[in-house]
Amino acid sequence: MRSRTVQGTVAIAATASLALAACGGAGGPQSGGSSKLTDDKLVIGLLNDQSGVYKDLSGPNSKVAIEMAIEDYKAKYGDKAVAKDIEVVTADHQNKADIANSKAQEMYDRQKADIILDVPNSAAALAVATQAKNKKKLYINIGAGTTALTGASCNKYTFHWAYNTSVLARGTAGTITKAGGKKWNIVYPDYAFGQDMNKSFTKEITTAGGTVGQSIASPFPSDNFATFITKAGEGDPDVIGSMHAGGDLINFVKQFNQSSLKGKVQLAVGLMFITDIHSLGVDQFAGTQFTDAWYWNFDAQNKKWADRFKEKTNTRPSFAHAANYSAAMNYLEAVQEAGTDDADTIVGKLEGKKINDVFLRNGEIRKADHAVIHDVYLAKVKSSAPEEWDYEDIEKTIPASEAYGEANPACSMS
Amino acid sequence: MSEFIQYTLQGLAAGGFYALSALGLAVIFGVLGVVNFSHGACYMLGAVLSAVLLAELNVGFWAALVIVPILMFGFGVLMERLLVRWLLELDPLYNFLLTFGLTLVIVEAVKQRYGVSGLPYQVPAGLGGQVSVGSVNLSVYAIFACLFSVVVCVAVGLLLTKTRIGMIVRAATEAPDRTRALGINVGLWVTPVFGFGIALAGLAGVLAAPTRAITAEMGSNFIIILFAVVVIGGLGSILGAVVAGFLVGLVEAYGIAYAPTYAQIVIFVLMAIVVLVRPSGLFGREEVA
């Protein structure tokens, strides 16, 4: 009965792989010595994906970005700096909400983190928001897209810095539909993020006067999209919207480019990062439109920061790196202004603050829902890259108020 | 109707590729009784090697189709000589766990070296575009990948069943002592067969490179579908792997077409039914271990 033994073995191994995937690594606590601050030092926790699909988007290089902020803060205030001893601790949440939850607890309680930054992946992001609320400690989310952070799950200690799914939908779906792409078919991955994106896009397309013929759910993850693409091409749409991310997105675009729809139907991508263009090659994505929260080669200010980043990491920054820098810098400024690391005082300093820095243009930390609104950009992928990482033409700056709309009515702070 | 034909053709195209991808798994199990969990990782290595050869040494797709399987053969030989060999005598579970561990090592090593976002690879010149008949379209590359896979599967099947080498290999594994008594060095044949299975995984990886995301994780989910293919076909049966490859491709395509949310579930429902009705798979032999 060799075959039966083997089938049992397959089941054991599948279970083992799940168990192994659930184990993780973490940073450790250290010591310090200063004043006015609890434990005499400031601890910034960076909780993100250090080994999986979002590693290149944010990952370990976000620590470099945060350290750049610390460097700038110290250079700016010198001896007058309230926080003289600043430590960055990092942990890998492996894109799992339960791990994010326990790591956040560990950071706040044992490592004495005053703030947690980043946390891509919506489920993980929401788990950490609950911890921040319970522990009354600061949390600035950067990498996650869910609107729940500034909606039903919003709280006093949670801020959402870079983007959200409704910003992407307004930017991409709204702009393309208004420009004449009226008939859409959408393919989305069948999990929380994909379903959310499908809803946001459908709403924006309809508002802008377009129609969505079909919304097709694909299993996640998926390798073979050929038939999904055929199905999405039925009914002669003007635009096919892919709401996939990471490896699924690359599979989708590669197979779309090999299909008969290439050149006939426009491809719009819901969530795309510069790291995706880098991995697939600029020519494969050429002409694809998407909304970007920040682009390193947009203007001289961004470029200067990106050059500094490149010296340290040998790569160009994604929007998430710049946003981690911006969030850390503004947090440190708030500590400086308040003269303390007390979370409630810092929240008071941050709320309503208007900011213009390397990441935020016309930025404002909206008091009502803690969305950090700022100008975002409709980008179009270049047909060839003048230099490595120079992949985007910014077609349009979408003003903060248009991109973010009204404060989320689902949010109640108290 | 044309839509149905379209879905069928896409299913068959995917099926050919599944058949080739599962073939190495079937060969290694059929001949050595080893369930090679690292097959998905070796498939990934094949794709990553193609991308690296292109980026760093400017070696194109056609050359990669030859070079990558040779390199992977070497890798397979090393794996067998250094590791797998020592556990062959034990319960298959040991080698299963060994290759599972190897998978983790290989995937993490690739992540360390090449990151997680993936590597670029284009469709080779001459295989771009589509073939259209009426309203039915199929990409040239998908047709090529399917036909190429079928040719390789048939060649491997003939090699194992119709040639002297195949006869020796089968004899050496089914009755090692009697084969030894006939003056054949049985130990000598185990290594190349394992290497050959790994080379087939690498070949599938090269074939996947132009049409799929080349990431360290690309094999992690794929291996699950491949296990479904070999279980449906009958573990170790090459004909079974090929038939089941096409079957799974078709089932998946129809699933996507008519019940997209359940597209992957239907594959495993099919597997469950086959295992319930015929525990040894469609073409598996009932044997006593």
Side-chain angles (χ1 to χ4, degrees):
Chain A
M1 291 283 110
R2 191 198 254 168
S3 59
R4 198 162 291 173
T5 320
V6 166
Q7 270 144 19
T9 315
V10 175
I12 292 169
T15 319
S17 68
L18 285 176
L20 270 169
C23 308
Q30 279 111 39
S31 61
S34 180
S35 68
K36 284 182 188 171
L37 307 171
T38 43
D39 316 306
D40 291 337
K41 65 172 177 179
L42 218 51
V43 180
I44 298 176
L46 172 67
L47 179 58
N48 64 14
D49 180 2
Q50 305 258 324
S51 55
V53 287
Y54 299 124
K55 182 187 168 200
D56 293 350
L57 174 70
S58 179
N61 278 345
S62 284
K63 187 180 181 201
V64 177
I66 293 169
E67 283 164 352
M68 284 166 72
I70 296 172
E71 207 177 277
D72 289 353
Y73 167 78
K74 286 184 172 164
K76 186 171 173 187
Y77 293 103
D79 288 342
K80 293 195 187 78
V82 171
K84 292 200 172 55
D85 190 1
I86 307 167
E87 187 193 341
V88 184
V89 294
T90 63
D92 185 359
H93 70 26
Q94 300 169 37
N95 293 314
K96 295 192 176 73
D98 56 331
I99 297 182
N101 190 50
S102 58
K103 291 286 173 201
Q105 264 179 326
E106 187 182 328
M107 278 186 164
Y108 283 140
D109 292 341
R110 288 211 300 118
Q111 300 182 313
K112 304 290 179 205
D114 295 290
I115 183 167
I116 289 178
L117 295 180
D118 206 4
V119 201
N121 182 305
S122 294
L126 291 170
V128 177
T130 308
Q131 288 298 338
K133 185 184 179 189
N134 294 343
K135 311 248 179 234
K136 301 193 190 310
K137 291 278 190 83
L138 284 161
Y139 165 41
I140 297 182
N141 185 282
I142 286 144
T146 178
T147 48
L149 280 171
T150 51
S153 301
C154 78
N155 66 65
K156 186 180 175 186
Y157 302 95
T158 298
F159 297 84
H160 199 188
W161 210 265
Y163 76 104
N164 63 41
T165 52
S166 78
V167 168
L168 299 175
R170 282 199 195 91
T172 310
T175 316
I176 294 176
T177 310
K178 278 176 205 151
K182 299 284 181 202
K183 281 168 73 184
W184 286 63
N185 281 340
I186 293 175
V187 186
Y188 65 95
D190 202 4
Y191 65 105
F193 165 79
Q195 293 155 355
D196 198 15
M197 287 291 282
N198 178 44
K199 267 186 222 144
S200 310
F201 263 68
T202 305
K203 189 177 145 219
E204 292 305 326
I205 292 162
T206 324
T207 311
T211 53
V212 179
Q214 308 180 68
S215 285
I216 309 162
S218 69
F220 173 78
S222 237
D223 291 312
N224 182 7
F225 282 108
T227 310
F228 283 110
I229 291 164
T230 304
K231 213 170 149 56
E234 286 164 11
D236 281 323
D238 301 321
V239 188
I240 291 180
S242 160
M243 302 298 126
H244 301 88
D248 272 23
L249 174 63
I250 297 171
N251 279 320
F252 191 97
V253 174
K254 274 191 170 180
Q255 290 163 26
F256 179 85
N257 287 342
Q258 287 162 26
S259 79
S260 58
L261 299 175
K262 168 80 174 171
K264 289 184 204 152
V265 180
Q266 190 182 352
L267 179 67
V269 172
L271 177 70
M272 188 153 88
F273 300 123
I274 195 168
T275 43
D276 295 319
I277 309 173
H278 184 69
S279 78
L280 189 50
V282 67
D283 47 341
Q284 293 266 320
F285 272 119
T288 308
Q289 290 181 306
F290 68 103
T291 303
D292 202 350
W294 183 83
Y295 180 54
W296 69 271
N297 205 10
F298 174 62
D299 62 10
Q301 190 185 359
N302 292 10
K303 176 78 163 45
K304 193 173 157 220
W305 191 83
D307 287 343
R308 227 180 110 199
F309 186 85
K310 196 182 179 191
E311 271 172 35
K312 295 172 194 284
T313 60
N314 206 23
T315 180
R316 290 296 185 184
S318 71
F319 82 88
H321 297 129
N324 270 292
Y325 169 88
S326 163
M329 193 66 199
N330 281 288
Y331 169 69
L332 292 170
E333 293 272 12
V335 171
Q336 184 68 24
E337 207 183 314
T340 169
D341 61 358
D342 175 64
D344 292 270
T345 318
I346 303 289
V347 169
K349 292 286 173 202
L350 289 174
E351 279 182 338
K353 190 176 174 190
K354 290 197 176 359
I355 305 164
N356 266 300
D357 67 6
V358 68
F359 179 73
L360 300 172
R361 300 297 151 77
N362 301 312
E364 182 189 343
I365 305 178
R366 198 155 65 186
K367 192 166 188 288
D369 60 356
H370 284 189
V372 180
I373 69 167
H374 63 108
D375 294 353
V376 298
Y377 311 91
L378 185 72
K380 189 172 186 175
V381 181
K382 291 182 178 180
S383 48
S384 66
E387 68 164 286
E388 204 179 32
W389 293 103
D390 192 3
Y391 303 143
E392 299 174 23
D393 283 323
I394 301 301
E395 298 224 299
K396 189 180 165 210
T397 299
I398 305 165
S401 56
E402 197 183 303
Y404 279 83
E406 295 297 310
N408 197 327
C411 169
S412 130
M413 282 290 166
S414 51
Chain B
M1 190 58 204
S2 72
E3 276 158 20
F4 182 77
I5 296 170
Q6 172 83 43
Y7 297 139
T8 308
L9 288 176
Q10 276 171 345
L12 290 174
F17 175 68
Y18 288 158
L20 173 66
S21 309
L23 188 64
L25 205 58
V27 166
I28 291 179
F29 182 80
V31 178
L32 306 180
V34 172
V35 183
N36 176 25
F37 197 92
S38 68
H39 198 76
C42 294
Y43 156 82
M44 176 272 288
L45 276 182
V48 168
L49 272 175
S50 326
V52 171
L53 282 173
L54 181 68
E56 290 178 13
L57 301 171
N58 206 19
V59 173
F61 176 77
W62 299 106
L65 271 182
V66 179
I67 296 171
V68 170
I70 292 173
L71 292 173
M72 292 306 293
F73 178 83
F75 182 73
V77 165
L78 281 180
M79 244 171 99
E80 201 278 335
R81 280 272 143 182
L82 298 176
L83 301 163
V84 173
R85 156 161 305 229
W86 307 101
L87 302 175
L88 278 179
E89 302 293 310
L90 302 172
D91 188 289
L93 189 62
Y94 286 87
N95 256 321
F96 189 90
L97 289 176
L98 169 76
T99 51
F100 178 64
L102 265 176
T103 303
L104 298 179
V105 173
I106 295 169
V107 169
E108 288 306 314
V110 170
K111 273 191 200 167
Q112 284 301 321
R113 181 66 184 81
Y114 298 105
V116 289
S117 328
L119 303 163
Y121 206 85
Q122 322 299 6
V123 176
L127 295 179
Q130 292 80 38
V131 178
S132 302
V133 180
S135 60
V136 175
N137 297 289
L138 213 54
S139 90
V140 173
Y141 188 78
I143 298 170
F144 163 78
C146 179
L147 292 181
F148 182 87
S149 301
V150 171
V151 168
V152 173
C153 291
V154 170
V156 171
L158 290 178
L159 180 74
L160 279 178
T161 53
K162 302 280 184 230
T163 66
R164 193 175 152 73
I165 293 175
M167 192 178 74
I168 293 171
V169 166
R170 282 182 299 134
T173 51
E174 277 173 27
D177 289 336
R178 269 178 286 162
T179 314
R180 236 176 246 124
L182 292 170
I184 289 163
N185 187 343
V186 169
L188 202 67
W189 285 99
V190 171
T191 313
V193 169
F194 193 87
F196 183 64
I198 299 295
L200 285 173
L203 183 62
V206 182
L207 219 49
T211 183
R212 295 185 176 209
I214 306 171
T215 66
E217 297 284 3
M218 69 186 289
S220 311
N221 296 301
F222 195 50
I223 185 77
I224 307 294
I225 293 182
L226 297 187
F227 271 127
V229 170
V230 290
V231 169
I232 291 169
L235 285 159
S237 162
I238 287 164
L239 177 65
V242 174
V243 172
F246 281 105
L247 201 59
V248 165
L250 281 175
V251 163
E252 187 189 43
Y254 294 140
I256 293 171
Y258 302 112
T261 320
Y262 304 104
Q264 273 180 356
I265 300 171
V266 287
I267 295 173
F268 299 101
V269 170
L270 174 68
M271 180 176 96
I273 293 170
V274 168
V275 171
L276 279 174
V277 178
R278 270 185 72 90
S280 53
L282 295 178
F283 294 88
R285 285 165 297 171
E286 287 289 354
E287 53 180 314
V288 179

